[in-house]
Amino acid sequence: MSIDRVRFNVPCRSLAALACALSGSAAHAQCPGYALTQSTGAIIDPGVTDIGNHADDATTAITLPFAFAVYGVPYTTLNVSSNGNAQFTTNNETYGNACLPAAGMGVMIAPLWDDLRTDSAGDGIFTSMTGVSPARVFNIEWRAHYYSGPGTANFEIRLFEDSSHFDIVFGRIDDGAASATVGVQDTTSPSVQFSCNTGGLVQNSTRLTFACYTGPTGTAAAFPNPVYACGTEGTTLLTATVTPGTTPPSTGITVSADLTNIGGIAGQTFYNDGTHGDVSAGDGVWSFRITVPPIIPSGDKSLPYTLADSQGRSTTGVLGITVNPCASTGPDVIVRSLTDVNYYGSLGSISAYAIGTDACNVGDFPAMWIQGGPQHPVIAQNMYRLMNGRFEQIGQSFLKFGFQSLNSSGCGNCVQPPLGGAQLGVGCSDVYGAGYNGGQGNLGPRSTCNATTGVFAYPPPPVPGNVIGQRLQVFTSDIDPALNPGAQYFGEAQYVTADDAQWTHAGAPATNGLNNATYQRILFANTTSNPTISGAPHVMSPAIQAWKDVDPAVSVAVADFLDTSLPGPGIVCRFWIAGRATDNGNGTWHYEYAVYNLNADRSGASFSVPIPAGVAVANIGFHGVFAHSGEPYPNTASNPDNWAGTVVNGALMWSAPEPFVGPNGNNANALRWGTMYNFRFDASTPPTAAGGRVVSIGIFKPGTPTSISTALIGPSSACGAADFNGINGITVQDIFDYLGAFFAGDPRADFNHFGGISVQDIFDFLGAWFSGC
């Protein structure tokens, strides 16, 4: 278990100093902190009065025989807990210990705060008195066992009547305090912690003496903590915030620490002069920045330190820091599920929605989640419809800008990250409901985001002046149940963030951005209420996969290329392509394709399907989702700006209407990231087996490669069709016989099977004849 927020333990420099501290007789004198010393050979002074605490997770109030001052404030009662603590201002029965200072526990002495029970035979909490006034000692003894297993925990607190000090004595501690907190805390003054969830520090027959101390005190911290021993990821700033001593005031304060456990030197000086990582000179915070080298083994590290002044007083303690091994998978953000869907209203023919998301970090390094800057994720939301064999994207949103993470459990073992809410920790979850993801003040255009690198423009633009602006927009007619019988709808969310997108390891290209999209089914009851999420999430699968999940006859493939726009091994960019062929029942087949750009900033400029010689095509079609809310692209709800499809050089190719260069430049209707376009046609031949054709995607922005390909279904060869008369193969006689049938109106002259006889049939027949098919 990691060490968290360890506070100063403050011992006297010498036995002479301790004797001086113990000699003070003013019971209620100023006591800003405690000096802690440790000795061995101690014996429990047995308690003789049973206070009645025989339970699991219970507190019992007791009245002290004399007023005892903690941090200079006198108390006459306290609540002792079966879980090994004595509370002076609270009455908390919690069994879960925390490092000091612990919220919700007030002024407290924790001799062994752990999950204990006092309800076994012989167990309980017992008190006794030794000595005579004004030097009496009140003893509070615990005889307990561990909740989680066998083992004895026998210990006591000794309160001295003059309030100059108190002792903690350990009789028998079977687990060495491996899961316990030992120390004292106040609500305003520095806590003094001997150990927190650190085995081996507490030994049987040990005495800890906490004596009032007027020298310098303070708190120590490491930021970030934990660190990852891997280059700059191992850099942390060690700080000591010092409160000068009193009576007399401290002068000449110095801070040093033994950093050998993290690759530094013993006796390392800390600085309060604006150097070595110190932020502000003379502000009472002593600092030293260090980078933990990769050779340091992972685990919890203890850094002993000393704080001293020129008056001969000193404090020592242990600063805890956790060292993690060099990350291998890095920050890897996925969408765990879609949480909910909000309907916001409509304007004209368009309705607006937002989809809530729950993200997880499944990598081994925290992901940045900083509010108020560009170091956080942006979230794209999309909507799709499957109806009559066509899977189409019907809506898209602007990007939701993330802010502080909650770092909740639910994705595995959530490790709280060093920067708290400014990071998503390993195994941690963070939820943005639809109300957050639809908040217009945190939405920005996709056009300013490079999904390949995860870099985007910040801050978002001003909030629009209407209810649908920037939100997930769809045509109301596309989601009206009365107009879309049998339709199925799917929501998709995709996170984009730079540290996830750019993470590389061991010289391999970056791939963490390939799993950032998840889809889930959505149900529409009507067009004016909130849709509902249905079924399990399809984690790390973009919505195009839903087409095949619903219809096994669909073929799906991916096409990747390497983006090298940044130094290093490159970033993998991915397009998804799905296709299906359906028999029209008249000798032709319908071909339906969907192409989805997951994360390629270079975008898609064309899509082509091979058309073998002699194969006739018709009913060429295209579908694209519209841009909105001021995006610079020309494909809007009122101007679809469709891609035209043409058969050229043995392939049916659809191309973006505008090239990268020219008056529209980068604002053309290319296939952008997080977007899916559809391509369709009828052909005169049945499909090949899956993978029988090589379909291609042209890349829009300049660079290498200029196109990528993958195997998918497509029309099969028409070879043999030009042997019209079936005699002696393909000869000139076939031309005469075909033309005779054509002019005679013979139904066989409908060569391309597209219904009726036309001049196109002659062209298609001659094309097949001259190609030898």
Side-chain angles (χ1 to χ4, degrees), residues 347-372:
L347 185 63
S349 62
I350 297 175
S351 294
Y353 297 87
I355 299 174
T357 53
D358 185 2
C360 286
N361 183 358
V362 296
D364 61 1
F365 191 81
M368 299 308 295
W369 226 265
I370 299 177
Q371 184 175 1

Side-chain angles (χ1 to χ4, degrees), residues 20-58:
C20 177
L22 296 180
S23 66
S25 60
H28 303 158
Q30 182 184 19
C31 187
Y34 286 93
L36 170 59
T37 57
Q38 179 179 352
S39 59
T40 60
I43 300 174
I44 293 278
D45 278 338
V48 295
T49 301
D50 186 344
I51 68 170
N53 187 295
H54 302 279
D56 177 31
D57 303 333

Side-chain angles (χ1 to χ4, degrees), residues 526-553:
N526 51 57
T527 61
T528 58
S529 61
N530 291 338
T532 56
I533 302 292
S534 176
H538 296 257
V539 181
M540 296 184 286
S541 290
I544 191 172
Q545 180 66 38
W547 191 13
K548 181 172 180 60
D549 290 342
V550 174
D551 184 356

Side-chain angles (χ1 to χ4, degrees), residues 223-308:
F223 185 82
N225 183 14
V227 295
Y228 291 77
C230 188
T232 57
E233 296 155 10
T235 299
T236 186
L237 183 65
L238 308 177
T239 62
T241 302
V242 180
T243 300
T246 59
T247 61
S250 291
T251 60
I253 293 173
T254 61
V255 178
S256 62
D258 182 352
L259 305 185
T260 54
N261 282 341
I262 57 172
I265 63 173
Q268 174 63 60
T269 299
F270 282 36
Y271 299 85
N272 190 20
D273 59 0
T275 68
H276 298 82
D278 185 60
V279 176
S280 300
D283 64 350
V285 179
W286 275 254
S287 309
F288 183 73
R289 178 176 286 119
I290 186 171
T291 299
V292 181
I295 61 173
I296 298 299
S298 60
D300 294 334
K301 308 297 179 181
S302 296
L303 309 180
Y305 60 82
T306 300
L307 187 157

